[in-house]
Amino acid sequence: MFSLEKLSSLNDLLVGFWKIIYLNILWILFTILGLGIFGIGPATYAISKYLSRWLIYKEEPAVFKSFFTYYKENFLQSMLTSWIIIFIFYVLIVNIFNLQIWYLQIINVLMLIAATVSFTHVFNSMVLLDGETIKDIFRYSMMMGFGYLHYTIILWTVILACYYLMSISYPLLILIVGVGLTALSIAYVAKKIIGDIQTEEQKINI
């Protein structure tokens, strides 16, 4: 028999699941409204900031209103940041498939992996370092990615495993929850990293 506590936990889980689907839909919608290239950065910033407030600060503001506000508030910086990331990934992927020399392909594969680690926390860093320059945001993201490499490896292993399981069972789930699940996973790891940083700082100050 379910206790009230278990029912409450189940309700919170279901509400959270539907919220991730809603955020995923909003991300797709606002990315399309921004014609893709102009909207993907601000939409990613918006979902990152909402999840940051939800997981780190335990706040649950109205989803659509908050998402729209966040989408607009840092539009130019988030858009330019996304362009930098897209350009770097584009160059590396083109090199991997077009270079004929095998060791140059391997170098580009390694650079692609390094870029993925470096850029994992870019938009969470933008949320945390509100008002800082793009250079500082990339530097902080790189510190989070490489400084806590074990978290980053676990994070992408879990994300890729989830995508694989969805692709072989219900591929439509990738469209419904793919971005939301990825953003949630990254935000959760960012929360863990921030907690570790604060713990280390407290030890130093003692």
Side-chain angles (χ1 to χ4, degrees):
M1 183 177 294
F2 282 109
S3 65
L4 289 176
E5 184 178 346
K6 288 182 178 179
L7 285 173
S8 178
S9 298
L10 179 60
N11 180 69
D12 291 342
L13 181 64
L14 292 173
V15 170
F17 179 72
W18 286 113
K19 187 174 292 186
I20 293 302
I21 293 176
Y22 190 17
L23 287 167
N24 192 94
I25 292 170
L26 289 177
W27 183 89
I28 294 172
L29 176 63
F30 279 88
T31 297
I32 293 172
L33 288 175
L35 303 177
I37 192 68
F38 299 107
I40 189 170
T44 304
Y45 172 81
I47 194 172
S48 298
K49 183 158 185 177
Y50 188 93
L51 290 169
S52 177
R53 289 185 64 180
W54 184 16
L55 295 180
I56 298 175
Y57 302 107
K58 308 300 181 183
E59 300 174 358
E60 295 188 48
V63 178
F64 183 86
K65 182 180 179 181
S66 299
F67 193 99
F68 186 48
T69 299
Y70 303 152
Y71 183 83
K72 296 182 296 179
E73 76 175 16
N74 210 3
F75 190 91
L76 182 60
Q77 188 181 58
S78 59
M79 181 184 68
L80 292 175
T81 299
S82 69
W83 287 1
I84 293 170
I85 294 171
I86 291 169
F87 175 75
I88 291 173
F89 275 115
Y90 174 78
V91 170
L92 291 173
I93 291 170
V94 168
N95 285 344
I96 290 169
F97 286 100
N98 286 279
L99 289 173
Q100 301 299 317
I101 303 174
W102 66 269
Y103 62 82
L104 291 179
Q105 289 179 316
I106 292 176
I107 290 172
N108 278 271
V109 169
L110 294 175
M111 290 176 66
L112 182 64
I113 294 171
T116 301
V117 174
S118 299
F119 300 153
T120 295
H121 297 287
V122 162
F123 289 98
N124 281 308
S125 297
M126 191 179 295
V127 171
L128 295 169
L129 303 176
D130 187 30
E132 296 292 336
T133 64
I134 292 177
K135 180 180 177 181
D136 289 333
I137 289 166
F138 275 108
R139 184 166 62 241
Y140 194 75
S141 175
M142 187 179 297
M143 182 274 291
M144 291 177 71
F146 281 102
Y148 297 84
L149 187 58
H150 56 298
Y151 284 149
T152 308
I153 293 172
I154 294 170
L155 167 67
W156 284 109
T157 301
V158 170
I159 290 173
L160 291 174
C162 288
Y163 269 80
Y164 174 73
L165 291 173
M166 287 189 290
S167 68
I168 63 175
S169 53
Y170 299 101
L172 187 60
L173 282 175
I174 295 176
L175 178 64
I176 297 173
V177 299
V179 172
L181 181 62
T182 301
L184 177 66
S185 302
I186 293 173
Y188 178 78
V189 170
K191 176 186 174 183
K192 294 286 290 181
I193 292 173
I194 292 168
D196 286 358
I197 292 173
Q198 291 174 343
T199 301
E200 291 169 7
E201 289 177 345
Q202 289 171 359
K203 289 179 179 178
I204 293 173
N205 293 330
I206 292 176

